[in-house]
């Protein structure tokens, strides 16, 4: 198992946002997290790169293992963890820098200065995120000049550049047009070969198209977690049934 | 009927609201009109005091004398016409008071009716003479040559290196030292205030805990509320003597003292505006940086500061604008010497300080008075330019980040 | 892994250095403030007494009190606010409640901003030219108050606008729904709700006016005038100008130092009180609004 969580509880001060989540995720799969808004999907996703640590008053209990190592352990170096666990956000959020520097950012902040190495890695990441052909002639241009869909693929390239083994995606296509969305989905399918992907999505069809496994969250609980096919055709829990048939959410 | 009356009242009151809202616009326009009306009068005058003239011997080959040379002649820094391209003849100064050295009371007449004739013959007999005399004493058949004086030009006004408006016989109205003094002191002030202010802004926005921030914020507001004359007083009592001692100077009133005081005064502006700018950095952008393994400091230095750069620039420009217009504090600590500064350890004089120090003594409507209003125009233009620049930068920022 | 740890500790070191540097710089800003305040407070406290606040200056302003300057500043505050406060509030109401988004509104806002950016000495020049000379008010409370009033007008407008904006739109809609006219809505709903914030703005502008020197230099301030004004066409002494005069050009600068410290302390005290009052008001009414 690539990732294993056991009885994870998370509190925002007094608010109990995650309730005893236990889940196993194997390598090189895509796992979709679905559920109505506010049910804790993003919160859970952000557990894996310890992004919740930044928020005052957050308390976490339970165990989270990545590659067999407890990531909330004192021994775990948070920089190394975040290098290993990349993240793509809901809205494209490139830095106010050139296209090249956006992708190189993660390398630079992690102490890599070798120019040749950085150039190679940037190019490779842009190839991987299927953006290279569109930007290879304007690497020095500001990232803000790209379209929304291109910006989001740039953010994916940015995450890939530091060679993570896991990629977290929080509704990565929700701010994009259908064509860009299709491109991102295609990309996710490609990336699965080398990465373990966890994706939060609002879009049921999208979950059905891209994921191997799906977890349904409701009010901070993981109601059901199974193969995507089963969740969408034959869910065991009536609440899952209601949600995917659109009766609430 | 009653309803009609009520509608009328509503409209009437709305009209009053409307009129009130146009007061600021009206004021700005009036300021422009009054400032420029008085200030532009300078360029309709010659530097010679009104009602006076300069006369030379008719054989003197010097055709015109600049107002600076005029000053040097009457200060006896130039003593020979050769220096000005004339004959080798030493210069003889003549002011109207000197007339009794040349003529007896009888010669001048009991009601001074012969003065014009006497002056005429005197100017005719002394080849090296330069006479500064009232127009009314110039005879119809004047034997000398009245020197034509040019009106003060905008170019000369702006580029002149001497500010000595009460000089006799010709005012020296060069504002270059004042403009340079103003810019020098203000830029230095920002150089002092920017690192300090920016660091504080970053600390308050990104590093300090909420509790510390809640203490710092009102203190900064307090700093902004202290009147400039109190800063000036503090500068005069504490900073000026300190500078004198540390640099072992004859006087502590220097450009540096002005810059330090102005720098302190610019701090609240810089801190507040750059803190606001830093706070506009989207959370998602910070998180993206942290998610790539950057720590907080790397995120601040590589993402947050570049992102808020235009806001920080606006803060700096606004700070400079404030410093340029600041009057009392500078007046009290810079020593007010109207010379082009070479080091920050010399006294300098800024435009606002000049206006404040001299307007009280300048007779209304006179050349000096108008020159001070012209300085006001320059100040107005400088600060407007900084305001518009800031406006432009923040517009562009909104456009870029929409 | 060892390599990674080295880089990571390097990053942490840089961060620690940077953060501590910033902390030191921030605290030195606070230290500057504390030095200024405590210096003037300690020195000024010795000069201050009941007599100092209520007696006329004596012996070429080296002895006696600053009573006429206090009264003069008080008149100037009252005069300028009598002018700027109503106009500023009415103006803000027009901009915020009546004017439609568009050229006029943008233009008025730009002009208000520009007015706020004009240096105070330029206001002095303008006030002298318009009020003192052209309108013939002479050096007088009237001329000085009008000049100071124009100077603070943008402050009043801005704070009032913010106060009006803070009133949620739904309250206005609620009032309209009951058949109230726009004016009634403003008078009975919007103004009462924004009043505390408007008053806070008024207090802050008073703080500003009380310390301004350059605009009054040539419009009202008297160097030495040991009597109180009897009409709005009289000159007055004023605290900030008095401080300037006795610390730079008095008859005996050394001997009048204690008076200078005392005057500076009075000015600082005004600022302190104004800030405390404004913050207190904000907090008090801020909580009250939240509670409802
Ligand atoms: N920083 C925070 N502080 C307090 N509560 C939060 C915070 N972030 C999220 N929450 C709460 O936690 C719950 C789950 O939020 P989230 O994980 O963002 O939901 P989802 O992504 O499923 O829409 C919500 O009720 C939300 O209000
Ligand atoms: Mg979410």
């Amino acid at each position: 198992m690539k990732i294993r969580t056991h009885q994870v509880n998370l509190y925002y001060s007094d608010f109990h946002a995650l309730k005893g989540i236990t889940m196993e995720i194997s390598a090189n799969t895509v796992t979709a997290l679905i559920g109505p808004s506010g049910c804790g999907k993003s919160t859970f996703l952000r557990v894996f790169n310890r992004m919740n640590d930044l928020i005052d008053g957050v308390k976490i209990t339970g165990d989270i293992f990545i590659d067999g190592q407890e990531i909330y352990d004192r021994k775990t170096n948070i920089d190394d963890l975040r290098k290993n666990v990349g993240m793509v956000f809901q809205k494209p959020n490139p830095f106010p820098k050139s296209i090249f520097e956006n992708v190189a950012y993660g390398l630079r902040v992690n102490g890599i200065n070798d120019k040749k190495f950085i150039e190679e890695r940037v190019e490779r990441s842009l190839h991987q995120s299927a953006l290279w052909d569109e930007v290879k002639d304007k690497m020095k241009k500001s990232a803000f000049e790209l379209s929304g869909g291109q910006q989001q693929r740039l953010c994916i390239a940015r995450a890939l550049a530091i060679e993570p083994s896991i990629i977290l995606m929080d509704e990565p296509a929700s701010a994009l047009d259908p064509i860009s969305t299709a491109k991102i989905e295609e990309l996710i399918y490609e990336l699965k070969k080398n990465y373990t992907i966890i994706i939060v999505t609002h879009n049921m069809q999208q979950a059905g198209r891209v994921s191997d496994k799906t977890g349904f969250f409701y009010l901070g609980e993981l109601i059901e977690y199974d193969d995507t096919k089963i969740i969408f055709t034959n869910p065991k829990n009536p609440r899952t049934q209601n949600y995917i048939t659109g009766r609430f959410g | 009927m009653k309803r009609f009356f009520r509608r009328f009242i509503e409209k009437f009151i709305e009209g009053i609201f409307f009129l009130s809202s146009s007061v600021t616009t009206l004021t700005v326009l009036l300021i422009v009109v009054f400032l420029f009306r008085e200030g532009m009068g300078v360029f309709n005058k010659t530097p010679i005091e009104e009602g006076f003239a300069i006369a030379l011997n008719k054989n003197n080959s010097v055709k015109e004398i600049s107002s600076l040379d005029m000053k040097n002649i009457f200060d006896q820094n130039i003593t020979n016409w050769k220096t000005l391209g004339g004959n080798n003849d030493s210069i003889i100064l003549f002011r109207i008071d000197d007339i009794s050295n040349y003529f007896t009371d009888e010669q001048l007449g009991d009601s001074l009716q012969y003065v014009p004739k006497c002056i005429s013959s005197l100017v005719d007999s002394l080849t090296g003479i330069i006479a500064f005399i009232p127009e009314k004493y110039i005879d119809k058949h004047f034997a000398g040559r009245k020197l034509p004086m040019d009106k003060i030009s905008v170019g000369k006004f702006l580029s002149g290196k001497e500010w000595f408006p009460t000089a006799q016989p010709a005012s020296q109205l060069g504002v270059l030292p004042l403009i340079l003094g103003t810019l020098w002191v203000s830029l230095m002030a920002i150089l002092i205030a920017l690192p300090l202010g920016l660091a504080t802004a970053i600390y308050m926005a990104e590093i300090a805990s909420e509790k510390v921030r809640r203490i710092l914020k009102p203190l900064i507001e307090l700093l902004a509320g202290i009147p400039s004359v109190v800063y000036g007083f503090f500068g005069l009592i504490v900073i000026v003597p300190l500078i004198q001692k540390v640099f072992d100077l004859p006087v502590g009133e220097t450009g540096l003292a002005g810059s330090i005081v102005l720098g302190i005064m610019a701090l609240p502006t810089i801190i507040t505006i750059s803190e606001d700018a830093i706070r506009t950095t989207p959370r998602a952008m910070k998180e993206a940086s942290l998610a790539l393994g950057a720590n907080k400091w790397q995120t601040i230095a590589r993402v947050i500061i570049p992102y808020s750069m235009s806001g920080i620039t606006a803060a700096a420009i606004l700070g400079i604008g404030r410093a340029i217009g600041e009057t009392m504090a500078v007046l009290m600590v810079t020593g007010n010497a109207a010379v082009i500064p070479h080091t920050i350890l010399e006294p300098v004089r800024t435009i606002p300080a000049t206006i404040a120090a001299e307007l009280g003594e300048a007779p209304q409507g006179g050349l000096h008075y108008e020159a001070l209003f012209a300085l006001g125009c320059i100040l107005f233009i400088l600060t407007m330019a900084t305001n518009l620049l800031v406006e432009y930068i923040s517009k562009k920022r909104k456009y870029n980040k929409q | 892994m060892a390599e990674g740890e080295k880089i990571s500790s390097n990053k942490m070191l840089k961060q620690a250095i940077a953060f501590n540097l910033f902390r030191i710089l921030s605290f030195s800003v606070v230290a500057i403030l504390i030095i200024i305040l405590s210096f003037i407070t300690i020195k000024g406290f010795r000069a201050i007494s009941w007599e100092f606040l209520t007696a006329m200056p004596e012996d070429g302003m080296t002895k006696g009190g600053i009573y006429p300057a206090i009264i003069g500043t008080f008149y100037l505050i009252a005069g300028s606010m009598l002018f700027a406060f109503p106009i500023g509030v009415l103006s803000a109401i027009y901009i915020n409640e009546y004017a439609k988004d568009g050229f006029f509104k943008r233009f008025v806002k730009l002009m208000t901003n520009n007015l706020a950016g004009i240096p105070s000495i330029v206001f002095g020049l303008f006030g002298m030219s318009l009020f003192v000379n052209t309108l013939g008010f002479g050096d007088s409370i009237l001329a000085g108050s009008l000049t100071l009033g124009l100077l603070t007008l943008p402050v009043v407008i801005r704070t009032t606008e913010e106060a009006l904006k803070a009133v949620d739109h739904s309250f206005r809609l609620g009032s309209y729904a009951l058949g109230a006219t726009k004016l009634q809505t403003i008078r009975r709903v919007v103004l009462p709700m924004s009043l505390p914030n408007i008053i806070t703005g008024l207090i802050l502008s008073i703080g500003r006016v009380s310390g301004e020197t350059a605009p009054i230099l040539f419009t009202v301030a008297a160097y030495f005038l040991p009597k109180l004004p009897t009409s709005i066409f009289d000159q007055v002494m004023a605290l900030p100008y008095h401080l300037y005069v006795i610390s730079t050009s008095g008859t005996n600068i050394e001997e009048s130092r204690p008076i200078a410290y005392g005057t500076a302390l009075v000015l600082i005290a005004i600022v302190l009180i104004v800030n405390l009052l404004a913050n207190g008001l904000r907090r008090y009414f801020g909580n009250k609004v939240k509670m409802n």
Side-chain angles (χ1 to χ4, degrees), chain A residues 34-37 39 41 201-204 216-218 237-249:
Chain A
I34 60 171
S37 163
C39 64
K41 305 178 300 282
T201 176
H202 240 94
N203 180 331
M204 232 69 64
F216 171 60
F217 277 72
Y218 186 63
N237 192 305
R239 277 184 290 191
T240 317
Q241 173 88 42
N242 286 346
Y243 182 68
I244 60 171
T245 53
R247 248 166 267 164
F248 67 80

Side-chain angles (χ1 to χ4, degrees), chain A residues 86-109:
Chain A
M87 187 163 192
V88 178
F89 296 78
Q90 180 167 2
K91 274 210 204 119
N93 55 355
F95 300 129
K97 296 174 184 292
S98 69
I99 292 170
F100 181 89
E101 282 305 323
N102 260 279
V103 184
Y105 184 86
L107 300 169
R108 293 201 196 279
V109 296

Side-chain angles (χ1 to χ4, degrees), chain C residues 262-280:
Chain C
T263 312
L265 181 56
V266 173
L267 276 169
I268 294 252
I270 294 177
V271 172
L272 266 175
I273 291 169
V274 157
N275 269 277
L276 287 177
L277 218 56
N279 276 329

Side-chain angles (χ1 to χ4, degrees), chain B residues 343-363:
Chain B
T343 74
I344 49 168
L345 295 177
E346 287 168 37
V348 298
R349 162 175 272 206
T350 68
I351 294 175
T354 306
I355 298 172
E358 293 178 4
L359 191 60
E361 291 139 29

Side-chain angles (χ1 to χ4, degrees), chain C residues 40-62:
Chain C
I40 288 174
T41 310
I42 292 168
K43 296 261 192 176
F45 217 76
R46 276 181 235 146
I48 288 209
S49 63
W50 182 245
E51 201 221 321
F52 179 75
L53 298 176
T54 56
M56 292 287 169
E58 283 160 29
D59 282 354
M61 300 193 281
T62 57

